[in-house]
Amino acid sequence: MSKVNTVLGAIPTEELGVVAIHEHIGYGMPGSELDTKWWKTPERQYEETVPKLRQFHEYGGGTFVDATGICNGRDVDYYKSLSAKTGVHIVACTGFVGGDTALAHFARASVEYLTRQFVHEITVGIGDTGARAGIIKVGVSRGGRMTDLDKRIYRAAARAALATGVPIMTHLAIDAENAIAIFAEEGLPLDRVLFGHVDDGVNFDKTRDTWIAEQGGRIGFDTFGYETELEDPPFWARPRKERLDHFLRFIGQHLDKALASADANCSPLGWPGVKGHTVNYIFEDLFPDLRAAGVDEATITKLFVDNPAEFLSIRN
C-alpha cells in the first residue's frame, strides 16, 4: 500500500482526499521574525490559521501540502498542532524555496551535505519534531536563471528523492532545461517532479509547460486566486479568466500531468500577505469556475485527488 509522510505520521494515499498541493501555513524570508511592522505573535498566527484550515476541512479538503522550505518560517511542531486541531493532513517539505533564501550555512554546502540533510528530514525527522518531510522543495533564484547553489540543491534533491522515494516540487518552472538536465544526469524520472507556478503573471510566458509535460514532468498551476481583479493585487497577479483559460487548454492536452493549488498563506510571516486570498479559493472560486466551463466531476477528482495521490506516494 502506498503511503505519504504527514506531520502526524505516514498515511495511506487513499486517505489524502482532496489535496491542496502547494500552500503555506506561513511563509517569510530569513530574518522576518525581526520585523517590527508585520510580525505576528504565535497566538495571532494561530487565530488567523485555524479558521481557514477548518473551513478547508468542512468544504471537503483532506490534505494541505506546506511548501515552506528551510529558512522560511517552517515550524513543524506548530503544523502538528494545527493538523490535530483541524483534522487536515499536513505534508511538510524539506529543501529550499530557492538558493537565494538559504542562509549562509547552507549556501556554502556541498551536494553531499545537502543530500544528507534532505534524506535525514525525510527518513528520521525535521529537527527534534519526529515528523518526516513528505516532499522536497527546490527553486530558481531571482533573476530567472539557476545559480550554482540552485544547481547543487536540485542535484541533492534528485539524489534524496531517489534514496527515499518522495517527490520534488519546484518554485517556478523557468530555466527548466537546466533542471531537467540535472534530473536526467541523476537518473530521476521526471514524473517525480512537479514544476510549479507555470501560471503566475510574471513567468507564464517564459515557461514551456507543454514541453516540460512532453518530457515527462508534472505541471503545477498553483497561483490560482492571485488575480488582477483583487483590490490590491500582488506583482505576480494575472487576470482570472486568462489563467483559467490557460489551465483549461493545458488539461485538454495533458490532464494526467496537471495539479493545481492557490499558493496562499494562512498567516504570512513578516509581510502583509494578500488580503482575502486563502487556500479555500479552490472550493469557493476555482471549482465553480471549472464547472461553469464544462469540466466534469471526474476531471476535478482527477486533478485534486488522483493526480496528487499518485505524485505524493512514496516510491521505494
Side-chain angles (χ1 to χ4, degrees), residues 201 204 226-229 237-245:
F204 74 92
Y226 288 119
E227 301 165 347
T228 54
E229 292 88 343
R238 190 175 176 193
R240 178 171 176 163
K241 186 177 185 303
E242 181 182 288
R243 178 186 282 104
L244 181 66
D245 288 346

Side-chain angles (χ1 to χ4, degrees), residues 80-110:
K80 290 167 69 175
S81 173
L82 291 169
S83 182
K85 183 81 170 179
T86 65
V88 175
H89 300 302
I90 297 176
V91 176
C93 73
T94 187
F96 301 90
V97 172
D100 53 351
T101 73
L103 295 174
H105 170 78
F106 294 106
R108 295 188 292 266
S110 66

